[in-house]
Amino acid sequence: MIVTTTVRLQPTADPTPVEQAVVDSIAGDYPPETYLGFAFYRPDGGCRLWHGWTDGGLALGDQVDRLALAAGLDACDWLHIGDRHSQVSSRGRIRIEAYPLRPILADVQGGERGPDDRRRGLLDVIAAAAARTGQTPRPGLPAWPGFGPARLLRKETSR
């Protein structure tokens, strides 16, 4: 006797399960100790962001962040160090930024810092955005945004 089960699929407006499956599938293509940033571009012009880590990446990302914050690194340093090691690719409407964490850890431990011209440029961008929205920018640059889950997934967004 053969028994078959029919699964009825229901349409849904929630893209989360599909996006999670895509993130999990793509993460399998990267080496251990990698942070992955995903941007799912939507037809309406919106975007949904996801964070992912390959094996060992969660703990190593948090270690990088602790050391960077202890060393006083900021958003400019994060951009500079990240740019030195990032690998950017896309799959259809999905942008993937991969950051191997071991070389990033080495840069943080080695005292790598963003160049002064980039630091001034970032301050100019923040000042222009504040002027456009009628706000007063905080002094200095924002703190190191992070590569590990403790910083990237925190609910509070203050510096």
Side-chain angles (χ1 to χ4, degrees):
M1 171 185 217
I2 298 175
V3 177
T4 60
T5 303
T6 303
V7 176
R8 174 172 244 163
L9 300 176
Q10 297 292 324
T12 177
D14 182 10
T16 302
V18 172
E19 290 176 357
Q20 180 66 59
V22 169
V23 166
D24 291 344
S25 172
I26 291 172
D29 295 341
Y30 289 89
E33 298 181 331
T34 300
Y35 161 71
L36 300 164
F38 297 89
F40 286 81
Y41 293 100
R42 311 203 27 105
D44 65 2
C47 179
R48 285 176 44 112
L49 303 177
W50 283 75
H51 302 287
W53 293 266
T54 59
D55 288 342
L58 292 163
L60 186 55
D62 283 342
Q63 179 185 0
V64 166
D65 294 345
R66 282 190 302 274
L67 292 171
L69 292 168
L73 273 62
D74 59 26
C76 179
D77 304 316
W78 178 84
L79 287 168
H80 172 70
I81 291 171
D83 285 350
R84 288 170 42 90
H85 304 290
S86 70
Q87 304 158 1
V88 179
S89 62
S90 63
R91 293 192 187 174
R93 290 186 174 166
I94 306 166
R95 176 184 167 97
I96 305 137
E97 296 182 18
Y99 297 87
L101 294 170
R102 282 287 162 194
I104 290 171
L105 175 63
D107 277 358
V108 168
Q109 290 175 325
E112 184 72 31
R113 299 296 304 253
D116 288 339
D117 60 332
R118 188 168 199 182
R119 191 168 301 284
R120 283 189 303 274
L122 187 54
L123 285 166
D124 290 346
V125 167
I126 292 170
R132 185 171 186 188
T133 59
Q135 299 176 19
T136 301
R138 294 179 181 179
L141 287 170
W144 175 272
F147 287 106
R151 287 215 42 92
L152 291 175
L153 301 179
R154 70 191 187 283
K155 297 291 181 192
E156 177 229 312
T157 58
S158 70
R159 301 203 259 178

